[in-house]
Each structure stands twice: as C-alpha cells, then as structure tokens.
C-alpha cells in the first residue's frame, strides 16, 4: 500500500458534505429557473484559460490572484478568476452567435487570495449577461432578475443598490479631479461601507495610520475636492426620484451630467413600472464596485437579515471588455451571484429547505435470506418515483438501521421479517412520529422498541401506503 | 486599451455554446433524477487537490496526466483527474459521515493527455459510489442505476458489461502467471476491444511491430499460458447463466475460484430478479478496466447505436483506495458517466430534445416609444411562468427580430404597434406555422410579409392565448 497519505485539503478550499451540497444545488436550480424565465440561455467555458486571455482585463489586483496551471507543454495557463472575461472571449471567437446574446453560466472560479472566514480560494459564481445591447433596458433587466431570484430563494429582506460609473466620472469632473485618478478614487470609494466616511476621506486626501499601526497612504485629493465628493455621497435617499432630483441639482451645468443622471433615472422609472420599488432597489450613488472594466451602471445586492455576509450579487456594464479581443466595442452588461456566499448566508439564516432530494424511504434488511424481497420492494418503490434506499450495511440490528435513517433524514422505514413475509405483510415505520412525541419523556430505545409510528400493512399496498404517508408528512 | 489579445482557447479545451450547454444540462438533470431516486446524496469537492492526494492512486499513467497548479505559496497542487480519489479523501477526513455513504457528484476533471477527436483535456464526470458496503448488492445497484439512467436518456440500445478483477486474478492462477504481472496483463487485456485477439496475444507473449513500424514489446507470457487466457476470453455468451456455468467448468478446482464465480453469478441473479436481462447487461469476463485501484467487480457501458464513442460509463469496486489515507480498508464501489462523451454521442444520434429551457416567447419592440408597453407585457408573461425574452437589440425592423427568434428557436413572437395599441390589441405570430408551410413554394420574405401564423388578439387575453398556443405546439 505504501506510505499513508494525509487526507488534507489545500488551505482556502473546502468540501460540501451532502446537506450543504444539496442546499447549493437547490440555490442553483432556483436561480436557473428565474434566468430561464427571463429567456437567458446557458453557456459553458473551460476552467483553464490562456494566461494572456485572463490577465489585464479586470485590473492588476485581480491578475495577482490567478492560479497558474502547468500542462505538458509550455503554454502559460491559468484558472479563471471570474466568468465575464471568458464570455468576452467567446463573443469575440464565435462571431456567428446571435446578438443580443443573453447567456447564463454557473461555474467554479479560483482566486489565490488570502483565505478568510467565508472567503474561499474556489467558489461558485452564477452569472447573467446581455451582450450587444447599449440600451439601459438590459441593465434594468439584470436588476429585476436579481430581485426575482432573491425572492425565489426566500432570502427575506434585501436591497439591490445601483449607481453608474458615468455618475462617478461626472463626480470627478464636478470635483475637478484628474480622470487618470479614476481607478484609485473609485477603489477607495468602494470601501465606504466597510471603513466609513471618515477613513475614506482620509484615504482620499492625506492618508492615515490604521489600528495595527500600518500607514495607509492618501491619494492627495484636496480638502475642497473631498468636500465635493462628500456632497455627492450625501445625496442618498430611500426615494429614488429624490436621489435623481438631488443629482440633477448637484451636477447642474456639469459637462455630460444630464445624460448620466437621465440613464440612472430611466432605470429607476422602468423598475417602478415593473413593480420593483424602493423596498427592493435603491439608487445609491456611492456604489463603485471594484473591477476595472466597468463603464456604465453598476449594481450589487445585500441581504438585510444577514448583512455581515456582504454583497451576494454584483455586476455592471462593461462596454469595452470584448474590444480587448475584437478591436471593436460591443456593449455588454451583467452580474454575478456569489453562490457560496449566498449558501453560507441562507444556511446561517436557516432558510434552506431540508432534505431536498434526500431519500424518502429506507428499506431495512433484517436478514440476508430476505435480501431478494428487499430488492424487489426497493425497485418497486423506485419505479413508482419514490426516492428509496435499501440499507446496504450489515443486515440485522434494526436499531442501527433506524439510527442511520434518522441521521440521513429519511422519514419512512420499510421492514419485513420472516413472520410478516409469511402473512403477506410488511411494516412501515414513520420516524417523524418520534419527533412528534419528542416532548414526552421517552428516549430513542423506548420509541423504537414500542414501535411508535409503526404499522403493518398488506405487502401489495406498499407503494400506495408510502405515497399516502409522504403526502401526509408534506402537509 | 493596449494590444489586442487573441481570443484563443488552449488546445484540448472547448466551449459549449447554448445548444450544447443546454443538452449537457439536460443530461445532468436526468442522471441526477435517477441517482436521487436511488437515494444517493450529493457531495462537492474542490477541483484543486494537494498533489500527494492525487498521485499514486490510479497508477503511473494517470499521475503523468495531472495538470499542476501553482498558487501563492509553494504547496504542490494539481487539478483532479477523476472524482474517486477525492471521495476516498473525504471518507478518510470526515469520519462522522454516516456509512454506508452513497453519494453522487458531477464535476469537471482535467487530464493533460494528447487531445484527440472527442477527447478533451477538461471534461465532466458524473459519479455514483457506495462506500462501506462489502456486499455485491452495491455493485448490482450501480449497474441497475446505470441501466435506468441510459433508459431515462433514451439512448436507444446499450449494453452494460461487467466482470471482476477477482475473475482475472483467478485466471492468473489458472494460467500459472505470477501475480506481480497482474497490472501489465490486465492493461493488455483492456485493449481487446480495440486491437482484437491476435494482437492482444502477441502483446502478451512475444510482442510485435505495429503498422507504423513501432515495436510493441511482449510481456513474455508462454504459449501455453496464452492458450489458457484465450480459453477464458472465449467463455463469453449473451446468456449470463451460461457464462457462469462455463467459468465454473473452466476454473474447476482452481484455488479461490468458486467464491469469485459465485460473486459475479449473484450479481447476475439479482439483476435478473429486478428485470435487467441480457438485453441490457452482459457478464463479459474480458472486461478489465484500466485503473490500478480496482479490486472486485468492474463494469462499463457502450451505446449500441453509437459504439464508436467507446464506453460512456465505467467503474468498479476499489476496496483499498480509502486505506491509502486511513490505513484501514473500507469497501467501496462505484462508477462514472462520461457526460461529455455521452453528450457527443446523443448529439450525433440527434437524441437530445431541442430548445429545453430556451425562451418560448419573444416580445418584439417596434418603436422605442412603445418600450414601456413591451416591458409590461414581458414581465406579465414571465410572472405567468412563460419563458419570455424582450428583444433588446435596436427597435424597429421586424424581419430582423423574426430572424433572431427563429435562430434561437423561439416559437412565438408578440408584436404591438401603435395601431394595435390604439385598438387595445396585440398580435401573436407563431413561427412554427412557417415550418408547417415549408412544403409550399413560399420563401421567408413571403411568409413574414403575408403574416402567416399571425393573429390579432385582445391585449388582455395575451397570457391566456400564449399558454394555449404553447400547449398546442407541444402536442
């Protein structure tokens, strides 16, 4: 056998055991359902991309977090760190794809960042994007689809917040800040939620020393410029129309401002028309989003009942990304659901339906000599569409088999010993009865031995009875 | 913007455009349905594993085909080349997992092999395994689940073929071949389908020179030993009982033979009991399977209507794999569906239902001034559960929008110009009518301009009419 190998995982990675894996799949199927209702179609791209495709798209920070891949030849390769760059490559490569191209993709991505609580080096993104659409209607649709998705997942209260890079660029003009500083300024503004206004102002201007004693350099923005940025950051309101009015007033006379304010205003109006009010979507000019390639509206979503999980959705318009490959601008907008973050939040809030897809029946095996009968019952139930497992451990010891069913969350156990067989009968035990009697003083031994929730039925009624019991339990 | 980047893929990789991606997902959902009916539960593991976990499990050949991954630290990492090794790691790591553990996992795997037609460096495997079960019932179940899966996918005729490493080890005893040669001998036997009996015999014995002039070395098995191997290979029959009888006769008196023949016989008998006859499952002693870790029954499946795609399913029992990590043997058996190979075969046979999940309705936009009405209709249909896309390209030009719907396979287009709007009406065009009239001499221009399949309805009847039309089309 050789030396024993430690069954270790690389740090920042994790396994999803059945309950978590089932919950993750439940999320994915729900999201897929909404995206398909919106007419988005699927696309799959490989996890490995050529390094020149990956690097230089989303900014230097992102490039640094790419895992390199070494194959049998000397090609420089990497694991994708997001799905948007691969979509841009696909759009450039298959010119025959119809446009608008509205696609969804759910897949793993990898980032070689420092792992942290709830922050993994491999995680799942679920993206929707509309490619080839300059109109803000595409942005409206992404935001609306996100609301419908979060509603379908019953996450409780949430807020989608949106703004636009156009507004932020207008802010630079308004404040008299050089456009060359845009990326740095936006990166600092993106920290507003996390650091608060005071520290953001310090980082924009003179810098400061943080709690751990590390110096945080400032960007050298003047006090007067920082005042204008603060004015902009304070236009926020729960009333989207009010935010639009304040922006119009603040940017009055600023070159190009009218068009940018009109665009975020149009999105607000369309959302209102479709029933997405301020209880779901806020126009929040402070939203910047980190990635370098955004060119227009940007958006994100947070769960109000679990804000500590951060944004579970983020995206924006990126009209220049395809041009990296094609030499020609193709307008595009879209966003990404952080499936693992959403999973963590839903599990934390206990909002994932349990037992989805788990077996409904365990056929217990009391004796190897009864194996054929157990096999026949198992397949009979499966052929009736009932999710059925036959106990494959050592036959005998019923207590152990009940315990196994209980741990797996299987509600019903089918038992047939030699006496039942002789009578043409079979017993069905409803393990949910145990939970119903849990308020009494009985321990497991008592209720198993006392045959709580156990009834004998005719063998030929097996499937019918099981179906009835499952319907009852669902009530 | 910098230099233009070529939108290239690394060789051996591929993108799945919407039709293929939809078909792949259709396969995955079907397989998942069957596996869940059998009570298997999901598990997810990361694509990146530590290199010591990956290497040395499945044999040297496999180790050579691992893509290395380079992260921010010096940990030796690789991309998984299959899912079984990760399952063994999980079983060793989480001792609290209930056993038997019956899990499914669908995920990408990577192999740095020479790419070839239909052979990719990244592909999808869909695995089921039962861990902790020594009984052959677990093997029977894997084979039965495979049959049910292939039936659910309507692949046409197929054969699952099984044998066991135990039979092959018995063959070595019978032929007087040293057990140390087992791996080499089995590797050559695994080529029987591809090379035929004559070349396999030559490779077992003296070697030969192949068509390209390359010398293929022989294993040095004697002529008398090769005769005994040939006897074994000739016991095949479409009647599983007959094969069992012939094996009993051939191996009569060979040490340990009875137990091994009984085991494959028991699987055959259980399959018969459950309705899986020789039209679905053959006992074929020549099956060897390539991986080094198999210890008991092995199995594979081929599609009889597309045999050129090779085996679409393969697996076997591997009672020692977990011991690599745990130092303790845990019996396990399972198999893997090659999803991409199955996808290629199903697309080749044209057996994938088209348009699964694709939009059912396109709301055409005739004029930007009518945008709000189009938005309202789109969301109204979506809220009725109808997969609806609003045309997001430039408004106007109906012909282009019909063509777009046609290319996407969207059957119905909703149109509402200013005149219809004034009448409180809307038009619905059924693009399937065009196909129905395709036998006539009309070209596309004619039937679009002639409004074939187009009817005007009251705006308030929109959703009801669309539902009726979709039901009609489904007939």
């Amino acid at each position: 056998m050789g030396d024993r190998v430690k069954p270790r995982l690389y740090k920042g990675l994790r396994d999803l055991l059945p309950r978590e894996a089932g919950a993750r799949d439940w999320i994915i199927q729900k999201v897929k359902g909404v995206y398909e209702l919106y007419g988005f179609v699927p696309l799959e791209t490989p996890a490995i991309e050529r390094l020149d495709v990956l690097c230089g798209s989303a900014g230097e920070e992102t490039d640094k977090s790419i895992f390199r891949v070494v194959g049998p030849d000397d090609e420089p390769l990497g694991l994708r760190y997001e799905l948007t760059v691969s979509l841009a490559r696909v759009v450039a490569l298959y010119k025959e794809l119809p446009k608008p191209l509205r696609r969804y993709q759910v897949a793993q991505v990898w980032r070689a960042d420092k792992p942290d609580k709830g922050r993994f080096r491999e995680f799942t993104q679920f993206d929707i994007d509309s490619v080839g659409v300059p109109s803000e209607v595409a942005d409206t649709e992404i935001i609306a689809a996100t609301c419908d998705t979060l509603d379908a997942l019953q996450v409780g209260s949430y807020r989608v917040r949106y703004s636009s890079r156009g507004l932020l660029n207008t802010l630079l003009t308004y404040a008299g800040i050089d456009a060359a500083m845009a990326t740095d300024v936006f990166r600092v503004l993106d920290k507003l939620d996390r650091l608060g206004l005071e520290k953001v102002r310090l980082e924009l201007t003179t810098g400061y020393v943080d709690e751990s004693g590390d110096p945080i350099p400032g960007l050298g923005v003047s006090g007067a410029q920082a005042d204008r940025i603060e004015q902009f950051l304070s236009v926020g309101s729960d009333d989207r129309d009010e935010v639009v009015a304040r922006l119009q007033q603040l940017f009055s006379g600023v070159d190009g401002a009218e068009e940018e304010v009109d665009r975020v205003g149009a999105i607000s109006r369309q959302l209102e028309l479709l029933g997405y009010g301020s209880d779901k979507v806020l126009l929040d000019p402070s939203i910047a989003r980190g990635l370098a390639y955004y060119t227009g509206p940007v958006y994100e979503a947070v769960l109000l009942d679990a804000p500590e999980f951060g944004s579970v959705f983020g995206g924006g318009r990126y009209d220049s990304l395809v041009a990296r490959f094609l030499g020609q601008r193709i307008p595009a907008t879209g966003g990404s659901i952080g499936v693992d973050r959403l999973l963590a939040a839903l599990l934390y809030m206990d909002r994932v339906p349990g037992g989805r897809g788990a077996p409904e029946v365990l056929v217990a095996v009391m004796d190897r000599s009864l194996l054929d009968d157990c096999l026949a019952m198992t397949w009979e139930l499966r052929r009736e569409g009932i999710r059925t497992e036959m106990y494959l451990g050592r036959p005998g010891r019923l207590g152990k088999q009940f315990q196994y069913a209980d741990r797996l969350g299987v509600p019903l156990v089918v038992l047939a010993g030699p006496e039942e067989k002789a009578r043409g009968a079979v017993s069905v035990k409803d393990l949910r009865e145990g939970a119903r009697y849990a308020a009494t003083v009985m321990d497991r031994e008592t209720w198993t031995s006392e045959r709580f929730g156990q009834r004998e039925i005719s063998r030929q009624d097996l499937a019918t009875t099981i179906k009835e019991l499952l319907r009852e339990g669902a009530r």
Side-chain angles (χ1 to χ4, degrees), chain A:
Chain A
M1 206 66 241
D3 285 342
R4 235 170 92 184
V5 179
K6 285 196 179 147
R8 280 184 299 173
L9 265 180
Y10 175 55
K11 60 172 172 290
L13 301 182
R14 63 170 177 169
D15 299 304
L16 293 184
L17 300 187
R19 179 169 170 254
E20 287 76 23
R24 182 174 163 278
D25 190 55
W26 175 79
I27 292 175
I28 287 172
Q29 300 309 324
K30 283 280 179 191
V31 177
K32 196 171 72 175
V34 174
Y35 289 177
E36 290 191 346
L37 201 55
Y38 273 68
F40 288 82
V41 292
L43 184 78
E44 299 277 344
T45 62
I48 300 176
E49 291 274 5
R50 296 167 57 94
L51 211 53
D52 58 350
V53 165
L54 292 177
C55 282
S57 287
E60 277 174 34
E61 282 300 308
T62 315
D63 289 356
K64 276 187 232 154
S65 68
I66 296 172
F67 276 104
R68 306 297 163 107
V69 172
V70 184
D73 33 41
D74 288 332
E75 295 277 5
L77 304 170
L79 290 175
R80 63 179 166 219
Y81 58 85
E82 54 143 50
L83 304 174
T84 318
V85 170
S86 298
L87 172 63
R89 179 187 56 67
V90 162
V91 170
L93 191 56
Y94 309 93
K95 300 197 183 66
E96 71 275 19
L97 278 173
K99 271 180 219 65
L101 174 65
R102 297 163 71 258
R103 84 86 179 81
Y104 69 81
Q105 181 172 10
V106 52
Q108 304 300 108
V109 301
W110 294 264
R111 292 191 193 167
D113 299 329
K114 201 165 163 242
D116 203 352
K117 204 166 176 287
R119 190 167 153 174
F120 298 96
R121 285 178 161 172
E122 174 173 340
F123 54 98
T124 309
Q125 292 195 325
F126 204 144
D127 282 28
I128 37 169
D129 292 83
S130 288
V131 179
V133 188
S135 161
E136 81 292 340
V137 182
D139 302 290
T140 298
E141 188 173 54
I142 302 286
I143 293 170
T146 303
C147 292
D148 287 2
T149 299
L150 295 173
D151 285 334
L153 290 168
Q154 297 183 281
V155 298
S157 300
Y158 60 85
R159 286 292 180 283
V160 180
R161 301 188 298 176
Y162 79 99
S163 177
S164 87
R165 283 289 167 93
L167 284 183
L168 288 173
N169 290 328
T170 305
L171 167 64
L172 295 186
T173 311
Y174 171 67
I177 296 171
D178 196 299
M181 289 183 67
T183 308
D184 288 330
V185 171
F186 300 166
R187 186 177 46 74
V188 174
L189 291 181
D190 200 37
K191 300 180 187 176
L192 188 65
D193 261 5
R194 196 152 42 86
L195 299 182
L197 186 59
E198 195 186 346
K199 281 187 181 159
V200 162
R201 187 182 170 107
L202 286 171
E203 195 169 341
L204 286 169
T205 52
T206 58
Y208 65 103
V209 176
D210 74 7
E211 289 80 12
S212 66
D214 288 339
I216 307 294
L219 293 181
V221 163
S222 77
Q225 289 172 330
D227 287 344
R228 293 203 148 193
I229 292 178
E230 278 197 39
Q231 284 172 1
F232 173 77
L233 294 178
S234 68
V235 302
S237 158
D238 277 359
D239 181 341
R240 296 192 304 238
D241 291 343
E242 179 63 32
V243 178
V244 170
R246 289 180 190 171
L247 285 170
Q248 276 163 342
Q249 197 180 5
L250 183 74
F251 287 158
S252 166
V254 178
D255 199 34
E258 198 179 331
E259 193 189 336
E260 297 302 340
V261 177
D262 281 354
R263 196 188 308 269
V264 294
I267 293 174
S268 174
R269 205 188 43 72
Q270 287 161 6
L271 287 168
E272 198 65 40
L273 171 79
L274 300 171
Y276 303 93
S278 293
D279 56 324
K280 294 189 169 177
V281 185
L282 296 179
L283 169 54
D284 180 345
S286 75
I287 300 295
R289 300 301 301 163
L291 295 175
Y293 53 59
Y294 290 130
T295 56
V298 287
Y299 26 82
E300 61 182 43
V302 288
L303 307 184
L304 297 190
D305 299 339
E308 61 271 41
F309 287 89
S311 63
V312 294
F313 169 82
R317 178 168 282 278
Y318 50 96
D319 286 349
S320 308
L321 189 54
V322 180
R324 268 192 78 220
F325 302 105
L326 205 57
Q328 175 197 339
R329 275 168 69 106
I330 293 196
T333 188
S336 181
I337 287 179
V339 173
D340 293 278
R341 206 178 269 193
L342 197 53
L343 169 63
L346 286 170
L347 287 173
Y348 168 79
M349 296 189 289
D350 202 13
R351 294 215 181 162
V352 181
R356 193 212 55 84
E360 297 163 307
V361 175
L362 180 76
V363 175
V365 183
M366 295 166 83
D367 190 296
R368 169 96 196 178
S369 70
L370 298 163
L371 190 62
D372 283 3
D373 297 303
C374 294
L375 282 167
M377 287 192 290
T378 303
W379 260 259
E380 185 180 319
L381 293 174
R382 285 174 180 167
R383 282 172 183 153
E384 290 288 328
I386 300 159
R387 296 192 303 273
T388 308
E389 170 168 356
M390 187 175 94
Y391 186 70
L392 292 180
R394 195 188 298 275
R397 295 180 59 193
L398 275 184
K400 201 176 166 184
Q401 299 187 41
F402 290 154
Q403 200 182 332
Y404 174 80
D406 204 42
R407 282 190 66 188
L408 245 71
V410 181
L412 303 176
V413 179
V414 170
L415 317 150
E419 312 86 47
E420 278 116 331
K421 192 187 170 183
R423 286 195 295 272
V426 56
S427 289
V428 180
K429 184 179 176 77
D430 191 336
L431 293 183
R432 297 166 299 191
E433 293 290 311
R436 285 171 199 147
Y437 284 90
T440 72
V441 289
M442 279 173 267
D443 60 0
R444 180 188 304 275
E445 286 310 310
T446 315
W447 68 258
T448 55
S449 65
E450 295 287 336
R451 304 198 167 195
F452 267 104
Q454 188 166 326
R455 73 190 73 179
E456 190 173 301
I457 57 165
S458 165
R459 168 69 181 81
Q460 67 196 24
D461 296 337
L462 178 62
T464 322
T465 308
I466 294 284
K467 280 183 188 172
E468 272 166 27
L469 284 169
L470 289 172
R471 267 198 302 275
E472 275 176 31
R475 257 185 263 149

